[in-house]
Amino acid sequence: MLNRDAILRHIPHQGASCLLDAANHWDETQLEATTHLHNDPANPYRVAGRLPPVTGVEMAMQAAALHGALTAHEARQGWLTSIRDVQIHCDRLDNPDWPHLIITVIQKHQAHGGMIYDFTLRTPSARLLMAGTGTVMLPTE
């Protein structure tokens, strides 16, 4: 398990911009992370006092960045280049009935030039809030 301080050492998202609290499990193809920050009134991604569900894409891609950092054989920073097939099943992410959110990313493809991740966001009771696919491109120097 990695706590927030350890996560901050692995990804470029720092301070309040980092939306992950812990990485509970990971292997070569997937990572599960949690966050409590969706209910934080100071969350910088809030709009008009609410946390829009599309913020889940940022949470998921931060989890993908963490997975890449933990499993890479060399350190390389990537760039999010596309999001596809996003399904949103809630009207907001901040909900006091959800003490934390569970973010799962699964690497579907990896090559020298990038990675493709499927992702889901769920509540502790396993309610699906969001799902989709993100592509990260890496420099090919």
Side-chain angles (χ1 to χ4, degrees):
M1 182 170 157
L2 291 179
N3 64 19
R4 183 174 173 81
D5 290 337
I7 291 169
L8 290 168
R9 289 192 293 273
H10 285 91
I11 65 174
H13 314 85
Q14 296 295 300
S17 293
C18 176
L19 297 177
L20 305 177
D21 285 321
N24 306 315
H25 165 79
W26 66 93
D27 59 30
E28 286 299 312
T29 59
Q30 66 181 351
L31 178 136
E32 181 184 283
T34 57
T35 185
H36 298 85
L37 299 171
H38 64 294
N39 284 325
D40 184 348
N43 187 309
Y45 294 91
R46 283 183 176 266
V47 176
R50 298 168 53 120
L51 191 63
V54 73
T55 307
V57 172
E58 178 66 20
M59 292 174 181
M61 292 297 93
Q62 287 185 21
L66 179 59
H67 180 263
L70 292 171
T71 61
H73 301 289
E74 62 180 284
R76 299 186 330 180
Q77 184 171 339
W79 293 273
L80 178 62
T81 58
S82 75
I83 297 293
R84 297 184 316 279
D85 304 322
V86 174
Q87 305 159 23
I88 297 173
H89 302 285
C90 62
D91 63 347
R92 61 192 298 173
L93 289 181
D94 53 320
N95 184 328
D97 292 335
W98 306 332
H100 64 276
L101 300 179
I102 303 161
I103 305 113
T104 304
V105 294
I106 301 171
Q107 189 181 80
K108 301 305 276 185
H109 175 77
Q110 186 208 8
H112 184 70
M115 295 163 274
I116 299 173
Y117 283 91
D118 286 345
F119 62 85
T120 61
L121 261 72
R122 296 184 182 274
T123 66
S125 66
R127 176 182 169 195
L128 179 64
L129 301 177
M130 171 179 277
T133 301
T135 302
V136 176
M137 298 303 293
L138 301 169
T140 56
E141 302 175 281

